[in-house]
Amino acid sequence: MYSIGEFSQITGLSIKTLRFYHERGLLAPTCVDDQTGYRYYDAAKIDRARVIAELRKLEFSLDDIAAIVRDHDDESDIVEYLRRHSREIAVRVQAQKQILSVLQTIIRHQEEIRHIMQTSHFEVTEKSLPAVLLACRRMRGKYSDCGPAFGQLCRKVGWHMVGKPMMLLYDSEYKEDDADFAVCAPVRKAIRAADIEMIELPTARALTLLHQGPYAELGRSYAVLLAEFQRLGVTPALPSREVYHKGPGMIFRGNPQRYLTEIQMAIGEAEAKP
Amino acid sequence: MYSIGEFSQITGLSIKTLRFYHERGLLAPTCVDDQTGYRYYDAAKIDRARVIAELRKLEFSLDDIAAIVRDHDDESDIVEYLRRHSREIAVRVQAQKQILSVLQTIIRHQEEIRHIMQTSHFEVTEKSLPAVLLACRRMRGKYSDCGPAFGQLCRKVGWHMVGKPMMLLYDSEYKEDDADFAVCAPVRKAIRAADIEMIELPTARALTLLHQGPYAELGRSYAVLLAEFQRLGVTPALPSREVYHKGPGMIFRGNPQRYLTEIQMAIGEAEAKP
DNA sequence: TTGCTCCTCACGTCACGTGAGGTGGC
DNA sequence: TTGCTCCTCACGTCACGTGAGGTGGC
């Protein structure tokens, strides 16, 4: 016969745990001294303790374990328990992985933003835009109405999204109320969904400018960019693009002063030089 | 101003949850009627509620969330939180996957046993043994001492194991005390570890017999098998093998009456026929 | 006396959900 | 009066761990 301390050493279960299992009726001591209340376990209890510990390692609940050890003593009898438990854990793992993927996406996104902040000089830059496949929803109205559309788009596109959200602007001048634009998400392959059209933009030379601050102040950056077009004697080609490197995040709405938007205007035909 | 019920509708947080967040100081109502105790929330609280809900979806603890929303309002500021949380979840996922793999192994094992029980006739059968690579520990002593050796072997071999545990028996007659044998685990590739040697068994024709019952009764099945060798006028070649299809399980010790052991004795040179 | 082992009992964990019992205004 | 919304307070969840305060035998 072993005292609770000895039995704890043998089984690797803590004294507190053994007392708890006794209280729960899962693993009763062989006898209890009615003077002192001391619990005593005999060798036959060791295997039961081992079985319980093994099932706990597999994260079965104490209720399940109680049911299992009450009715069964062979693994072939508990395959259904194992299967059900397995399914439950698989569901949990899937949910956790989903969370992990969201966390990783946010972290990666922030790293990209940090990299942009470190390397950009916030000046007009000429560069090549790569070809890109976009899932788009074309809209008419105010630019500021794009919020919900972006939400729906992201939900439909899901994990097919492979870059920052963008907007295509089809008006040649600024329009407050009846603008013609499309909210877009770059995707790796075509997606079929209601209200979504696929647009394939070819590579293009473009003048770009990184705008830091609220969307309401984009106009200033557009002016700078257009001035540069004029200076170079070239014209912008529609649609122009806005790439939202940093805007309202997945968690915080964030500080608009820290929003980062890249305006990209493709270079159209050169004007005849005088 | 919204009542708690309206605010609950808007935010998707239950009334109970809103009261709890109030109590925890995480999301206080804008004002509380001191006559009725009614809580009222204004529109400005909606975004805070949304942030808290988003962070809860990512399974941050309320303590973490309290710290996050107290000090930050931009995702770039909480990358370290995200990273740490990500690591914690990754650890949990790994542990859960480990459990899943154990569960799957047990389930698969039981299915194999069921299949064997359904298809076997428990008669001597001649068949080809496939070539197999074994991680072995050679021993001398009693067969019944193999238990701990199997435990150690399994731990060293881990997930490289690709079949049932086996024993190789090198004695030509039954020995009680000073038997020469090796406990083995089939593996997919060679393993280097102390006390482990690799043995590559070639394919062989063999007579086999499936033995159901405790190991102590294996002798009877050996007798049946050897009688068949004699009847056919062939001799067995060493080492003979025992494959433990069902023995003490990972959870239960199980009922020895239901143990399943396959005895395999390779067919050696044919004796000259008279 | 000190140190050790054992005991019981109460409370904490985590983020709420359940339910009892009650109120105030339509 | 009934039904609705809101309130507080107590308790449950899950598998223990922590700690207080005490006992009995060496």
Side-chain angles (χ1 to χ4, degrees), chain A residues 3 31 34 40 75 83 117 160 164 201:
Chain A
S3 72
C31 68
D34 51 6
Y40 293 100
E75 279 151 43
R83 257 194 252 274
M117 289 297 288
H160 290 288
K164 313 290 171 61
L201 290 180

Side-chain angles (χ1 to χ4, degrees), chain B residues 209-257:
Chain B
L209 178 56
L210 199 58
H211 169 89
Q212 182 167 217
Y215 300 133
E217 294 172 6
L218 274 168
R220 272 210 322 256
S221 291
Y222 269 103
V224 170
L225 196 54
L226 288 169
E228 186 66 9
F229 268 94
Q230 201 154 27
R231 202 181 65 78
L232 293 174
V234 290
T235 54
L238 293 179
S240 45
R241 318 176 192 182
E242 292 175 0
V243 179
Y244 303 105
H245 291 297
K246 181 176 175 61
M250 298 203 226
I251 300 171
F252 294 111
R253 212 163 34 74
N255 182 346
Q257 293 300 334

Side-chain angles (χ1 to χ4, degrees), chain B residues 31-240:
Chain B
C31 68
V32 178
D33 186 317
D34 52 5
Q35 294 303 306
T36 63
Y38 277 31
R39 294 167 176 84
Y40 293 99
Y41 299 81
D42 65 15
K45 296 288 181 181
I46 295 175
D47 194 60
R48 189 180 174 89
R50 195 190 49 75
V51 169
I52 294 170
E54 288 299 324
L55 290 169
R56 277 300 296 151
K57 277 184 209 157
L58 297 176
E59 296 194 357
F60 278 96
S61 72
L62 293 190
D63 279 346
D64 277 350
I65 294 175
I68 289 173
V69 297
R70 176 163 40 79
D71 300 332
H72 308 290
D73 67 344
D74 194 297
E75 278 151 43
S76 62
D77 301 333
I78 62 167
V79 173
E80 269 318 305
Y81 276 101
L82 298 172
R83 258 194 253 273
R84 185 160 49 80
H85 191 54
S86 194
R87 279 196 298 271
E88 287 169 6
I89 293 182
V91 168
R92 286 214 298 270
V93 165
Q94 264 317 103
Q96 303 277 99
K97 278 188 172 178
Q98 178 59 35
I99 290 172
L100 263 187
S101 122
V102 173
L103 288 170
Q104 298 299 344
T105 302
I106 298 175
I107 291 169
R108 189 160 18 85
H109 193 174
Q110 293 308 128
E111 280 166 355
E112 285 166 13
I113 290 166
R114 204 161 51 96
H115 180 250
I116 289 172
M117 288 297 288
Q118 280 171 356
T119 57
S120 172
H121 299 287
F122 297 93
E123 292 165 350
V124 174
T125 307
E126 184 180 341
K127 67 180 181 187
S128 281
L129 304 180
V132 61
L133 181 65
L134 297 173
C136 303
R137 168 171 304 178
R138 192 74 173 257
M139 299 179 66
R140 269 197 173 276
K142 295 183 172 188
Y143 293 125
S144 52
D145 291 341
C146 68
F150 267 121
Q152 287 168 34
L153 187 68
C154 286
R155 245 162 292 145
K156 290 203 179 173
V157 168
W159 56 272
H160 291 288
M161 180 139 65
V162 292
K164 313 290 171 62
M166 293 176 58
M167 195 186 278
L168 302 181
L169 299 95
Y170 289 95
D171 298 307
S172 53
E173 72 253 31
Y174 179 71
K175 286 195 173 178
E176 183 70 42
D177 275 333
D178 191 38
D180 178 8
F181 60 97
V183 299
C184 308
V187 291
R188 73 188 82 208
K189 50 185 291 195
I191 286 170
R192 254 166 246 295
D195 304 326
I196 301 272
E197 64 179 308
M198 301 303 303
I199 295 180
E200 212 177 328
L201 290 180
T203 62
R205 289 300 288 177
L207 293 187
T208 70
L209 178 56
L210 199 58
H211 169 89
Q212 182 167 217
Y215 300 133
E217 294 172 6
L218 274 168
R220 272 210 322 256
S221 291
Y222 269 103
V224 170
L225 196 54
L226 288 169
E228 186 66 9
F229 268 94
Q230 201 154 27
R231 202 181 65 78
L232 293 174
V234 290
T235 54
L238 293 179
S240 45

Side-chain angles (χ1 to χ4, degrees), chain B residues 7 11 13 18 21-29 41 45 48-49 52:
Chain B
F7 196 67
T11 60
L13 297 170
L18 289 171
Y21 288 174
H22 180 196
E23 188 189 342
R24 285 283 305 253
L26 197 57
L27 180 61
Y41 299 81
K45 296 288 181 181
R48 189 180 174 89
I52 294 170

Side-chain angles (χ1 to χ4, degrees), chain A residues 7-44:
Chain A
F7 196 68
S8 165
Q9 291 289 325
I10 293 168
T11 60
L13 297 170
S14 78
I15 292 176
K16 291 283 181 183
T17 298
L18 288 171
R19 285 205 270 256
F20 183 61
Y21 288 174
H22 180 195
E23 189 189 340
R24 286 284 305 254
L26 197 57
L27 180 62
T30 312
C31 68
V32 178
D33 185 316
D34 51 6
Q35 294 303 306
T36 63
Y38 278 31
R39 294 167 176 85
Y40 293 100
Y41 298 82
D42 65 14

